[in-house]
Amino acid sequence: MSVLFVTGTGTEIGKTVTTAAIAAAALARGRSVAVLKPAQTGVTADETGDAAEVERLAGPVTTVELARYPDPLAPATAAQRAGLPPVGPQQIAEAAAELAVSHDLVLVEGAGGLLVRLDAEGHTLADAARLADAPVLVVVQAGLGTLNSTALTALALRHYGLDSPGIVVGSWPADPDLASRCNLTDLPEAAGAPLLGVLPEGSGALPPSAFRAAAPTWLTPALGGSKAPQRTATVSVLA
């Protein structure tokens, strides 16, 4: 895949760190990477956005931000409140295609979840992924409640006719409870797609050099990593 959309089952669940891990693994294999953030919300002009955070953690990637809105809201609402034009799916798909011409991998990180509104017409990241004809990776939570939100996101992906390579747990707790441990087995069933990675809690706080060294071990080969498939991964994570 040359273009991969990264979404989540909600906000603040590890999409940016997951995007950085995939970028770091690709860079380690000698691939060129671009990170596209269509709508950055909740960040002022002089603050660091998600794309810049990916670059800090992963290394030398091309970063592109299509729009930035200061309020920490859904893109459509944030754009309206700021009196700025929204970002539409066609603009996102075209930007991804342009970056794909000169990069081996383009990662498109959404805001919030798959169906968060981008504009007043109700377009979403799913519309952009469909126009780009690109697969969508889903970042999920580890604990109680994640099965329902994961299944709903998978249902939406099927509704839009979108492919998904799988799911990644964006923050695996240092002391996982029973629900989290069971969810490693149950999440792929809820998603109808394989578990492709498990990122340890606090990964984004690692020094960049440590992050880059460890990132491939958190991801399976499907995302450019070295982690064993789900069954073996479950044993190692729970040990």
Side-chain angles (χ1 to χ4, degrees):
M1 64 190 84
S2 60
V3 178
L4 176 66
F5 279 62
V6 180
T7 191
T9 54
T11 190
E12 300 297 328
I13 60 171
K15 289 191 303 297
T16 299
V17 178
T18 297
T19 300
I22 298 169
L27 289 171
R29 298 172 63 201
R31 305 185 73 194
S32 57
V33 181
V35 176
L36 173 62
K37 183 71 177 183
Q40 176 68 66
T41 64
V43 175
T44 61
D46 58 347
E47 292 179 316
T48 299
D50 292 342
E53 178 65 4
V54 172
E55 183 178 20
R56 184 187 72 83
L57 289 170
V61 300
T62 300
T63 60
V64 175
E65 219 179 69
L66 298 183
R68 177 174 286 213
Y69 311 113
D71 290 328
L73 303 169
T77 305
Q80 183 182 37
R81 283 181 55 84
L84 295 171
V87 177
Q90 187 68 44
Q91 185 180 355
I92 297 170
E94 289 176 355
E98 182 176 347
L99 288 168
V101 172
S102 54
H103 296 82
D104 298 318
L105 177 64
V106 179
L107 299 170
V108 184
E109 185 193 342
L114 180 68
L115 299 184
V116 170
R117 290 163 61 95
L118 295 172
D119 55 28
E121 288 72 40
H123 294 123
T124 68
L125 192 72
D127 294 299
R130 185 161 58 182
L131 285 173
D133 193 22
V136 182
L137 180 75
V138 182
V139 182
V140 304
Q141 294 175 301
L144 195 65
T146 192
L147 297 179
N148 182 65
S149 57
T150 299
L152 288 171
T153 300
L155 181 63
L157 287 169
R158 291 193 296 272
H159 173 77
Y160 279 87
L162 295 170
D163 293 327
S164 176
I167 57 174
V168 170
V169 176
S171 180
W172 180 256
D175 184 20
D177 60 14
L178 177 61
S180 297
R181 298 196 302 270
C182 291
N183 284 341
L184 279 186
T185 299
D186 295 340
L187 274 166
E189 183 177 353
L195 178 65
L196 300 183
V198 178
L199 275 63
E201 184 179 54
S203 299
L206 290 173
S209 58
F211 182 92
R212 296 166 195 175
T217 70
W218 303 330
L219 307 171
T220 70
L223 292 178
S226 59
K227 189 177 184 66
Q230 182 197 350
R231 182 171 297 177
T232 304
T234 300
V235 174
S236 63
V237 168
L238 297 182

